[in-house]
Amino acid sequence: MSSTQSLLLITIIIAIIVAVAAMLIVNRHQLQEIEELDNDLGNMEDLHLERAISKLDQMELAGESLATLTTWKKSYEKAAEAFPEIQRLIEEGADENARYRLVKAHQDIKQAQELLDAISEDIKNSADVFTQLLESNRENQALYDELMKTYREMRKEILAASFDYSSALEEIENRLSAMEEDFAQAKNLSAQGDHVEAKRVLSKIRAALDSLGKQLPEVKKDQHELETVFAEQLSEIADAYKKMRSEKYSFGSLDILLEIKQSNDQIEKSLQDLAKLDLDACEKGMKKVDKEIDTLYKILEKEYRARPFVEENLDKLQNLLAHQQVVSQQLVKKLRHIDESYELTHGELDEARGLEREVHKMDSDYIRSSQKIADGNAVYSEVESTWVRILNRLSEIGQRQQELSEAVDGLYEAEEVAHRSIKEFKQEVSLIYRRLSRHQLPGIPDAFLQMYTLVINEISKTTGELNQIRINMEKISQELVQISDDVDRLKKDAADIVNSADLFELTMQYSNKFLDNEGVVRARKAAMKLYDRDYNYKDALDTIATAVERVDPGSYQRIENAYYQEQKEMLD
């Protein structure tokens, strides 16, 4: 046998083995499916729903219960018709599978599974319905007894505390009577065998009992609030109001008794809502009454607390207003007098007059309030608010008037300072000019003369303003600052002229050592021209100093240092 033939033989043997193994596996799997189908069918048959149907037929059901039984009885009987066919398919499938006719066995198993799936839901639902119908009578009886017990306990409690439910007692009795009718109906339906409808009625009773059970505590609470708590509070408010009116308290346009009447009307309306067991409407009205009562209490308390403040400040405020009126009049008089000599540039007099008018108006407001107090028509909280505002404003006005007074008081001193400053400026400018004159310079630079003339004119102008009948001290103060700056500049310019002239002379003297140097000789001629003809002492110094530095570096720095050291020693 060749190797090819051997390989082919081995392949055939392997294929046969695989095929046999596959058939065994499929056979075993299908056998398991057949057993599961048989078990499922057996479980359905073991329900023995025929016996449940027989028992239900003996119960002589009626109404909704009978209709339910009839519907699901038909559903079950139709489904049960498939039991023999399913059993036949299972048995045939088992026989075919045992003979290893696996394809035919698979078809039988699949058909049996489809039939079983089609009826399983109906079988299960029918079983649930039959069980529920069988147990409904017992469950309904237990529920009936439970609800009746709750009903009797609730009725007993209501009768024992009928006073606490007086407003809603009639409506509560109506609901209890309706429940009695429902109990009778449930009992009658059960006796007739309509347990489904009886259960519906019992569920209705349960809901009614639960609802009323939740409402009863709220009814009791609302009844107490409306007829006891609110009534007592409104009565207390009315008594307090009458007592306060007898003690000359006033409440302006607010009619407290009318507010109390409106609250009592709302209480009656809420009691009507309570009588109908409309607890939402009742609660809404109660909140309105509670808010109104709280408001009335606060109004009374506000007036009661305000009166001591008003009485304590009655004389105090009168004295403060009288004092502030005097202060206001004196300040206006003082500012009018000062305005004759000085220009009040910030509207001080107009502001003082405005403050005077404001104090006068506050005094008028105080007088009106005082008269209302005397007449017994004062709303003390309003008076308190007005007087607190007046007291605060008087403090602000007093502080501002003091500031105005102190501000104008400084005008006299400022004028004296200005006169002294002008005198000092004149002396200082004169000293500056004399210092330049003492140096016997060829002439004075035009720029200095212009600055000198400017300062002289500024001093003259400010002097003239100080001698006017009405002085603008703010303007003069600004001018004095400018004059001070210009005098300082003039002083610096004069010092620069003197120092430049002195250093020029010293440097020219030193340049005599270099008369054999043409550059120095030319520089000397140019510098002398600047010095003698143009009076440009700074440029003259720069010209000769530059020439000297070229021939003898550092020489000018030595001359300058020695000069300023000598100046310093002279000052010390």
Side-chain angles (χ1 to χ4, degrees):
M1 184 180 293
S2 66
S3 59
T4 303
Q5 291 174 334
S6 298
L7 181 61
L8 180 61
L9 180 61
I10 293 170
T11 303
I12 292 171
I13 292 170
I14 292 172
I16 293 170
I17 293 172
V18 170
V20 171
M23 289 177 65
L24 290 172
I25 292 171
V26 172
N27 177 271
R28 191 170 300 170
H29 175 70
Q30 292 187 157
L31 180 61
Q32 184 178 357
E33 288 182 328
I34 290 168
E35 290 175 352
E36 290 176 357
L37 283 170
D38 192 49
N39 287 334
D40 290 343
L41 180 62
N43 290 335
M44 288 184 185
E45 292 173 339
D46 289 345
L47 291 174
H48 300 298
L49 296 185
E50 294 84 356
R51 284 183 281 182
I53 293 171
S54 177
K55 289 181 181 179
L56 289 169
D57 287 338
Q58 293 173 9
M59 290 173 64
E60 298 182 355
L61 299 178
E64 185 66 24
S65 298
L66 179 59
T68 302
L69 173 62
T70 301
T71 299
W72 287 100
K73 180 179 177 180
K74 290 179 180 179
S75 177
Y76 168 72
E77 289 174 346
K78 183 178 180 181
E81 290 175 357
F83 285 174
E85 178 62 16
I86 296 171
Q87 185 64 50
R88 183 187 69 76
L89 289 169
I90 291 173
E91 290 174 355
E92 285 185 5
D95 184 57
E96 298 291 346
N97 194 61
R99 295 179 183 182
Y100 282 90
R101 298 167 67 177
L102 301 180
V103 175
K104 184 63 173 68
H106 174 71
Q107 292 174 349
D108 291 337
I109 292 169
K110 181 180 179 183
Q111 190 176 357
Q113 185 67 57
E114 289 174 353
L115 285 173
L116 195 65
D117 291 342
I119 67 171
S120 60
E121 188 69 21
D122 288 341
I123 296 294
K124 179 180 178 301
N125 290 338
S126 297
D128 291 341
V129 170
F130 295 158
T131 300
Q132 184 179 2
L133 288 171
L134 286 170
E135 294 179 354
S136 61
N137 185 39
R138 181 181 56 83
E139 290 177 351
N140 285 353
Q141 187 60 47
L143 180 59
Y144 181 93
D145 294 340
E146 177 190 344
L147 295 177
M148 180 57 75
K149 180 182 178 183
T150 303
Y151 168 81
R152 287 170 178 168
E153 290 175 351
M154 183 181 292
R155 191 174 192 88
K156 181 180 178 182
E157 192 275 333
I158 292 169
L159 290 174
S162 58
F163 179 78
D164 295 332
Y165 307 108
S166 57
S167 296
L169 192 58
E170 183 177 350
E171 179 62 22
I172 292 172
E173 287 292 343
N174 290 339
R175 294 196 180 186
L176 290 174
S177 297
M179 288 182 210
E180 285 184 0
E181 293 177 1
D182 288 338
F183 274 116
Q185 183 184 8
K187 190 173 183 179
N188 186 45
L189 288 169
S190 294
Q192 293 174 2
D194 193 351
H195 303 294
V196 172
E197 184 63 19
K199 186 172 183 179
R200 186 191 66 77
V201 175
L202 289 172
S203 297
K204 175 185 174 185
I205 295 171
R206 182 197 290 276
L209 283 171
D210 289 344
S211 175
L212 187 58
K214 292 177 181 177
Q215 288 179 326
L216 289 178
E218 187 68 25
V219 170
K220 184 185 292 187
K221 180 181 76 68
D222 292 352
Q223 179 82 30
H224 176 69
E225 288 279 334
L226 290 167
E227 292 193 337
T228 304
V229 178
F230 287 168
E232 291 177 355
Q233 289 175 337
L234 289 172
S235 177
E236 182 181 35
I237 290 171
D239 293 341
Y241 169 74
K242 292 173 183 176
K243 184 174 185 296
M244 291 176 74
R245 286 297 294 144
S246 68
E247 295 173 354
K248 293 190 175 182
Y249 283 88
S250 178
F251 298 86
S253 60
L254 180 63
D255 190 338
I256 299 292
L257 294 180
L258 177 60
E259 296 291 326
I260 292 172
K261 180 182 181 302
Q262 290 174 348
S263 292
N264 280 319
D265 291 344
Q266 181 60 57
I267 289 174
E268 288 300 320
K269 184 178 182 304
S270 295
L271 285 170
Q272 292 172 10
D273 292 331
L274 187 63
K276 295 181 290 186
L277 288 181
D278 188 350
L279 298 186
D280 289 339
C282 179
E283 185 67 23
K284 185 177 179 180
M286 288 176 64
K287 286 181 178 179
K288 185 177 180 181
V289 174
D290 185 60
K291 183 179 180 181
E292 180 64 18
I293 288 174
D294 185 58
T295 299
L296 293 175
Y297 270 123
K298 287 180 179 178
I299 290 171
L300 296 181
E301 183 180 9
K302 186 178 181 181
E303 298 307 316
Y304 184 78
R305 290 182 178 275
R307 185 168 185 169
F309 172 86
V310 173
E311 292 175 345
E312 290 171 7
N313 287 277
L314 186 62
D315 295 334
K316 175 184 175 182
L317 186 55
Q318 183 182 27
N319 294 333
L320 283 173
L321 285 166
H323 169 73
Q324 206 61 48
Q325 282 184 306
V326 172
V327 171
S328 300
Q329 293 168 0
Q330 291 175 344
L331 179 61
V332 170
K333 182 178 179 181
K334 176 180 178 179
L335 290 175
R336 279 205 305 265
H337 176 70
I338 292 175
D339 190 55
E340 294 174 358
S341 302
Y342 299 94
E343 292 183 19
L344 301 177
T345 55
H346 296 287
E348 290 89 347
L349 182 56
D350 288 340
E351 184 178 356
R353 285 170 174 160
L355 294 176
E356 182 183 29
R357 288 192 297 272
E358 189 174 351
V359 172
H360 179 73
K361 183 180 181 305
M362 287 190 288
D363 185 63
S364 299
D365 292 341
Y366 167 80
I367 292 172
R368 282 194 294 271
S369 297
S370 300
Q371 188 59 50
K372 287 182 179 179
I373 294 170
D375 296 340
N377 296 323
V379 180
Y380 284 104
S381 61
E382 295 177 1
V383 175
E384 179 185 31
S385 177
T386 300
W387 286 11
V388 167
R389 177 182 57 79
I390 290 175
L391 286 168
N392 291 334
R393 184 57 184 152
L394 283 176
S395 177
E396 294 172 356
I397 289 174
Q399 182 177 350
R400 181 56 184 159
Q401 287 176 332
Q402 183 177 355
E403 291 171 356
L404 290 172
S405 180
E406 291 174 353
V408 297
D409 285 343
L411 290 174
Y412 295 109
E413 182 179 352
E415 183 183 2
E416 293 178 6
V417 170
H419 281 292
R420 288 199 301 271
S421 298
I422 289 295
K423 183 178 179 181
E424 291 172 0
F425 290 149
K426 288 179 178 179
Q427 292 173 350
E428 199 163 359
V429 170
S430 178
L431 287 172
I432 292 170
Y433 196 83
R434 284 203 299 272
R435 182 185 178 194
L436 281 178
S437 298
R438 283 200 305 271
H439 275 70
Q440 298 180 348
L441 298 171
I444 297 176
D446 289 341
F448 178 85
L449 289 175
Q450 291 173 2
M451 188 65 193
Y452 175 80
T453 302
L454 173 66
V455 174
I456 291 298
N457 290 338
E458 286 177 342
I459 292 173
S460 177
K461 177 175 177 292
T462 303
T463 301
E465 291 174 354
L466 278 169
N467 291 328
Q468 290 179 357
I469 295 175
R470 292 179 77 241
I471 301 173
N472 186 333
M473 281 308 305
E474 184 174 4
K475 180 182 178 184
I476 289 173
S477 296
Q478 294 172 353
E479 291 175 354
L480 289 174
V481 172
Q482 184 61 51
I483 292 172
S484 177
D485 291 342
D486 291 343
V487 169
D488 288 340
R489 179 182 170 187
L490 189 67
K491 188 186 297 183
K492 182 180 180 300
D493 290 349
D496 290 343
I497 291 171
V498 171
N499 291 333
S500 295
D502 288 346
L503 284 169
F504 172 79
E505 292 178 0
L506 291 172
T507 308
M508 284 292 286
Q509 292 175 9
Y510 186 77
S511 70
N512 288 330
K513 296 169 59 177
F514 310 105
L515 292 178
D516 57 344
N517 185 293
E518 292 183 3
V520 172
V521 172
R522 285 196 302 270
R524 281 172 59 86
K525 289 181 181 179
M528 284 302 299
K529 180 182 178 182
L530 290 169
Y531 184 85
D532 286 333
R533 296 181 184 178
D534 299 337
Y535 315 138
N536 191 342
Y537 304 112
K538 184 179 183 304
D539 288 351
L541 173 61
D542 290 343
T543 301
I544 189 60
T546 301
V548 170
E549 278 291 308
R550 285 197 185 99
V551 297
D552 185 9
S555 58
Y556 175 73
Q557 190 64 51
R558 292 193 299 273
I559 294 170
E560 187 180 46
N561 290 342
Y563 172 77
Y564 283 115
Q565 181 62 34
E566 183 180 353
Q567 295 293 318
K568 181 180 178 183
E569 291 174 355
M570 290 174 62
L571 291 173
D572 293 342

